[in-house]
Amino acid sequence: MVLISVVTPVYNGESFVQDAYDCLCRQSYTDWEWVVVDDGSTDNTAEHLKSLATKDQRIRFFQQKNSGTAKQPRDHAVYESKGAFVLPLDIDDLLSDDYLETMLKRQEETDADIIYPQMHFVDLESGKTFQSLPVAGFDTKKVYVSRDLVKETAPEWNIGCNGGLYRRSAWINISYPEKKEPIWMNSDEVDERLYLIHAKKAAFSQACYYYQNHKSSTTGHVSPKVFHTLKTSLQLLDIMEREFGKESEEYRRMTRRAFCDWRYKMMLFVKHHDELVDADAEIHKNLADGFHRLDTNVLTLAERIQFLNLKHFPLILALFCLKYKPSLLKEKLMQRRNPEGYADKYIRKREEQKTGDAIKSLYEQGEPKEDYQPYVISMFCGNAPSGGLVDRLRGAVSTYQECVATGRSFKLHFTHPFLLSDYLVPNTYDWTISNDAITFSLAQAKPLIACSVYDSSQERQTHRQQIRQALSNSKDKQVHVYTNAAFCYDNDFAQSFLELFKPSTRLQQHIDKTKTEIGGSYITISARFCNSLDDFNEEVYSEPLPVAERRQLIDSCIAQMQGIKAKHPNERLVICSDSTTFIEEARKHFDIFTTPGTISHIGNDDVHDYDYYERTFLDSYVIAGASDAYLLKGPHMMKSGFPYAAALVGGTTLKVIQF
């Protein structure tokens, strides 16, 4: 019998795991393995799969750091597979009971490299099928030269590719381990065309694949990643030009598809701008690049007149604003002419509105307490967006300073995604408060929201006055302050921080151990790449750089480090970075030290584990203890506030190396 490797990428698919497994167990063909790769799930997906794997040796389970795409874990699963054929199954889809048997039988009949199924799109809630592929009238009995089927996938899919049966060798050659094309959302669209172009024969079977649409489907959300499909469209356009030529029907069809995708994304960007504001710059650039990349000669005269003959992207964006959301036009003009005013009027207010919406029901439903104290409480308990560690701590210190100025009692409620007191405990001021001492009744509590987005001197002063006024006017109420205000940096941040915090016993032991391992005097070099090197998922939206630009950026960082090292020949280099790629490259050139543990960011992590976050605190205290602290700030890198705050606590000034 021939072993079929069913390969599945999964991210937070706990509710679908059992159904997918049961579906495979019902198969009439039994010589299969299920290779599943978990892409850094934060729910109980991994635990469920591990439990199944202990009971069924046909399940082979792997885990990897979250990549943000389905392609990477799917390719990983193919690489780990052992069968002569691979069959992709999404975790939330299902197969007919005779699926594997029917697919393999058809392959043996035709000797085709790819076998496609009958694909049915099913609404998960109603159970109704709303579309089927291949389209009606398509000859599924014929064996095709696979390259000819590319026409059936552009601009619309006339065949269904999910759940196809592929020769493993073909998949490995095209997709793994080398990435032939940059990975964006829907990169399987690129892969599928490449399989068809490079395979010899393709055929169809009567096996039924059920693609289940539901609210949590990736394609169901208007998020920044949705706009990656425009990049995918342009990749496909490049492939069609390379393989078939600019005069080919394939190229013309794909150009029209890219144009339709661009036009649709323009509409989404304008209509849903309030939801995409964090990604505004990246999306705007992608849309502009796509606009300039389109070949106008392939489009109809009406399309060219309506859009592309205008030649100027800002003017086209203005037309879309007028059609779908006129108010956005005024906002965009202000964004270009007065960035600081734009940030204050639009971005900050949106962030405050987002926090207000998140906590609204909590206070509307809050019950009064018989006995409560009118504390001022800095709130970081998971009921509202709070940012990273330094965002939270600077907000707490700013609030504490205003409590000192107004004579109010300060408390800190930091419970999510971990208890701050596991790492930092009160020093000379006791800020601890129990859950029972907090009231969420609007008759007894006043929520105050002050979001910092631009961190200008004017914004700092506004927040100081805003918080002081609330503290002075609500002396008989608890004031719950949701803020990342940075005005504490203007008023001896280090002294206030040290009054509030010292390391817990456990953390202090690990700090001492780490400094012993470093040995002697040292300097720190911090570097925040966020998503630029495609090895860390950061809540701040940005896209990975092209591979060549990543290499260039790393080389530039290494060159800057060589200059820093020349100034400190006798001191050890300690690297604090969110990029394992950069750290490993630095090891090739220098004797470096890095703190042990997991690289994390509490703004987008939801893990409840001490060890998971300890490295962040170790880095902070290591920076505070350095003889000199540096921050590398190159193109696409973040000017992180983390080493700045840590250096202040240690009594040093962070040196920013801009290049």
Side-chain angles (χ1 to χ4, degrees):
M1 296 181 73
V2 177
L3 177 65
I4 297 177
S5 296
V6 180
V7 294
T8 300
V10 58
Y11 175 76
N12 286 355
E14 177 187 5
S15 59
F16 299 102
V17 168
Q18 191 64 48
D19 286 345
Y21 173 63
D22 291 345
C23 159
L24 291 175
C25 290
R26 291 194 300 269
Q27 291 297 308
S28 55
Y29 186 84
T30 58
D31 196 9
W32 53 264
E33 64 170 358
W34 192 24
V35 188
V36 191
V37 174
D38 177 59
D39 194 46
S41 294
T42 58
D43 63 2
N44 293 319
T45 296
E47 288 72 17
H48 195 166
L49 284 164
K50 286 176 183 176
S51 177
L52 289 176
T54 59
K55 302 171 186 175
D56 191 335
Q57 294 183 348
R58 295 175 297 179
I59 300 176
R60 302 176 58 231
F61 175 59
F62 302 88
Q63 290 177 279
Q64 67 176 39
K65 187 176 179 180
N66 181 255
S67 68
T69 70
K71 175 174 169 52
Q72 287 191 9
R74 185 183 291 116
D75 283 351
H76 184 176
V78 173
Y79 180 73
E80 299 289 353
S81 66
K82 298 179 179 179
F85 292 91
V86 295
L87 190 148
L89 171 66
D90 287 351
I91 194 66
D92 50 358
D93 295 341
L94 297 174
L95 310 174
S96 58
D97 293 351
D98 62 348
Y99 194 90
L100 300 183
E101 180 181 3
T102 305
M103 293 287 278
L104 185 59
K105 182 178 179 181
R106 181 64 168 155
Q107 195 282 326
E108 291 171 345
E109 291 173 354
T110 61
D111 191 34
D113 301 291
I114 306 173
I115 303 295
Y116 288 126
Q118 305 296 304
M119 185 173 167
H120 302 291
F121 294 85
V122 180
D123 180 76
L124 190 61
E125 292 185 359
S126 66
K128 294 181 179 179
T129 299
F130 57 89
Q131 184 184 5
S132 295
L133 295 174
V135 295
F138 193 88
D139 187 358
T140 58
K141 295 181 180 180
K142 178 181 176 181
V143 178
Y144 290 83
V145 175
S146 57
R147 188 181 176 94
D148 293 343
L149 287 177
V150 173
K151 289 187 179 72
E152 304 300 333
T153 70
E156 301 295 333
W157 283 89
N158 292 321
I159 61 175
C161 65
N162 288 54
L165 186 71
Y166 304 82
R167 291 191 194 275
R168 180 180 182 274
S169 58
W171 194 304
I172 292 289
N173 288 340
I174 291 173
S175 286
Y176 200 95
E178 182 184 355
K179 299 173 187 175
K180 302 295 184 182
E181 303 286 342
I183 296 174
W184 304 107
M185 186 175 175
N186 287 9
S187 279
D188 53 345
E189 297 245 354
V190 175
D191 282 353
E192 201 60 45
R193 272 57 170 231
L194 291 175
Y195 299 147
L196 287 170
I197 288 168
H198 295 292
K200 293 180 180 179
K201 293 191 293 184
F204 294 82
S205 83
Q206 296 304 308
C208 295
Y209 185 100
Y210 299 100
Y211 182 97
Q212 301 191 113
N213 275 348
H214 51 89
K215 291 180 180 178
S216 58
S217 294
T218 304
T219 52
H221 302 283
V222 180
S223 70
K225 284 189 177 181
V226 170
F227 293 83
H228 285 182
T229 59
L230 182 60
K231 297 262 191 179
T232 303
S233 294
L234 296 179
Q235 285 180 3
L236 289 171
L237 198 57
D238 290 337
I239 291 171
M240 296 304 121
E241 181 179 356
R242 182 177 70 236
E243 296 290 337
F244 299 97
K246 296 190 74 169
E247 302 303 318
S248 66
E249 184 180 356
E250 288 84 355
Y251 179 79
R252 289 194 296 273
R253 286 181 170 184
M254 201 57 70
T255 299
R256 294 189 58 77
R257 173 212 163 107
F259 171 71
C260 292
D261 190 28
W262 172 82
R263 185 170 54 188
Y264 176 64
K265 295 303 187 302
M266 284 287 291
M267 181 270 291
L268 283 183
F269 179 56
V270 173
K271 291 183 70 174
H272 298 274
H273 186 262
D274 289 354
E275 305 164 46
L276 301 164
V277 68
D278 290 340
D280 179 274
E282 291 282 353
I283 296 174
H284 189 281
K285 181 179 183 301
N286 287 345
L287 289 167
D289 290 346
F291 167 74
H292 294 299
R293 172 67 177 81
L294 291 171
D295 186 349
T296 61
N297 295 321
V298 176
L299 304 175
T300 67
L301 179 60
E303 289 168 341
R304 295 203 307 271
I305 292 174
Q306 188 177 5
F307 295 105
L308 299 177
N309 277 0
L310 295 173
K311 302 298 182 184
H312 299 293
F313 180 76
L315 183 55
I316 294 177
L317 178 60
L319 291 177
F320 271 91
C321 289
L322 289 172
K323 181 175 181 180
Y324 294 108
K325 195 174 184 181
S327 61
L328 182 58
L329 187 56
K330 179 181 177 181
E331 179 180 336
K332 282 292 177 186
L333 288 172
M334 189 173 187
Q335 184 180 10
R336 291 173 66 92
R337 296 177 180 178
N338 183 7
E340 187 170 336
Y342 166 76
D344 183 64
K345 182 173 181 178
Y346 291 100
I347 306 298
R348 183 170 64 84
K349 287 186 177 180
R350 281 199 186 99
E351 290 299 314
E352 292 179 351
Q353 183 63 49
K354 188 190 302 181
T355 300
D357 291 342
I359 65 176
K360 183 178 180 181
S361 62
L362 179 67
Y363 288 91
E364 288 179 342
Q365 300 169 14
E367 295 291 334
K369 291 183 178 289
E370 293 184 6
D371 183 31
Y372 74 95
Q373 295 296 320
Y375 298 125
V376 176
I377 309 172
S378 193
M379 302 288 286
F380 305 105
C381 48
N383 61 343
S386 300
L389 181 62
V390 166
D391 293 320
R392 302 181 190 206
L393 293 182
R394 79 184 191 190
V397 172
S398 293
T399 304
Y400 167 70
Q401 289 180 348
E402 287 310 297
C403 285
V404 172
T406 57
R408 297 291 298 269
S409 295
F410 171 79
K411 299 295 178 181
L412 175 56
H413 187 54
F414 192 138
T415 60
H416 182 85
F418 51 76
L419 291 174
L420 181 64
S421 55
D422 286 345
Y423 306 91
L424 300 179
V425 296
N427 193 4
T428 62
Y429 185 94
D430 184 10
W431 43 262
T432 57
I433 185 171
S434 67
N435 289 338
D436 293 339
I438 301 174
T439 175
F440 289 99
S441 166
L442 285 174
Q444 299 171 333
K446 174 182 175 57
L448 171 64
I449 303 168
C451 292
S452 174
V453 296
Y454 204 75
D455 194 18
S456 64
S457 57
Q458 180 181 346
E459 185 183 68
R460 291 186 183 188
Q461 187 61 29
T462 298
H463 283 158
R464 185 193 297 274
Q465 294 172 353
Q466 182 182 0
I467 294 174
R468 179 169 295 190
Q469 184 177 13
L471 269 52
S472 299
N473 294 344
S474 305
K475 293 185 177 181
D476 60 336
K477 289 186 176 184
Q478 286 187 1
V479 181
H480 296 177
V481 186
Y482 298 85
T483 188
N484 61 338
F487 59 79
C488 57
Y489 292 147
D490 302 325
N491 187 30
D492 204 344
F493 169 77
Q495 178 182 333
S496 298
F497 183 93
L498 294 173
E499 288 173 4
L500 290 173
F501 306 115
K502 66 179 180 180
S504 66
T505 300
R506 181 178 181 181
L507 179 60
Q508 186 63 60
Q509 290 173 346
H510 291 179
I511 292 171
D512 294 341
K513 180 182 177 182
T514 299
K515 289 186 176 181
T516 299
E517 291 173 351
I518 294 173
S521 181
Y522 63 91
I523 63 171
T524 60
I525 298 177
S526 300
R528 284 288 303 281
F529 294 91
C530 299
N531 304 333
S532 297
L533 302 184
D534 198 21
D535 59 358
F536 184 73
N537 272 337
E538 170 64 79
E539 63 168 354
V540 177
Y541 179 79
S542 63
E543 293 178 355
L545 293 172
V547 174
E549 291 185 34
R550 294 179 211 172
R551 180 71 264 169
Q552 190 175 42
L553 180 57
I554 292 175
D555 289 344
S556 297
C557 289
I558 296 298
Q560 296 298 328
M561 288 178 63
Q562 289 170 339
I564 295 171
K565 179 60 178 173
K567 296 178 182 178
H568 304 272
N570 300 318
E571 293 184 281
R572 193 163 190 192
L573 295 183
V574 178
I575 305 297
C576 303
S577 178
D578 57 3
S579 170
T580 55
T581 304
F582 169 68
I583 290 171
E584 291 309 309
E585 185 65 27
R587 289 192 196 281
K588 299 176 184 178
H589 299 268
F590 308 96
D591 175 23
I592 68 169
F593 180 88
T594 58
T595 53
T598 303
I599 297 174
S600 63
H601 189 284
I602 69 173
N604 59 316
D605 288 327
D606 199 25
V607 178
H608 304 281
D609 178 74
Y610 177 90
D611 291 333
Y612 187 80
Y613 297 105
E614 189 187 59
R615 181 171 181 166
T616 300
F617 290 89
L618 288 176
D619 278 347
S620 177
Y621 278 95
V622 165
I623 293 171
S627 61
D628 274 295
Y630 293 87
L631 172 68
L632 299 180
K633 174 60 181 80
H636 309 285
M637 296 173 68
M638 188 178 192
K639 190 174 180 181
S640 173
F642 181 84
Y644 174 73
L648 285 179
V649 171
T652 60
T653 300
L654 182 71
K655 298 177 175 65
V656 180
I657 307 298
Q658 190 103 23
F659 58 95

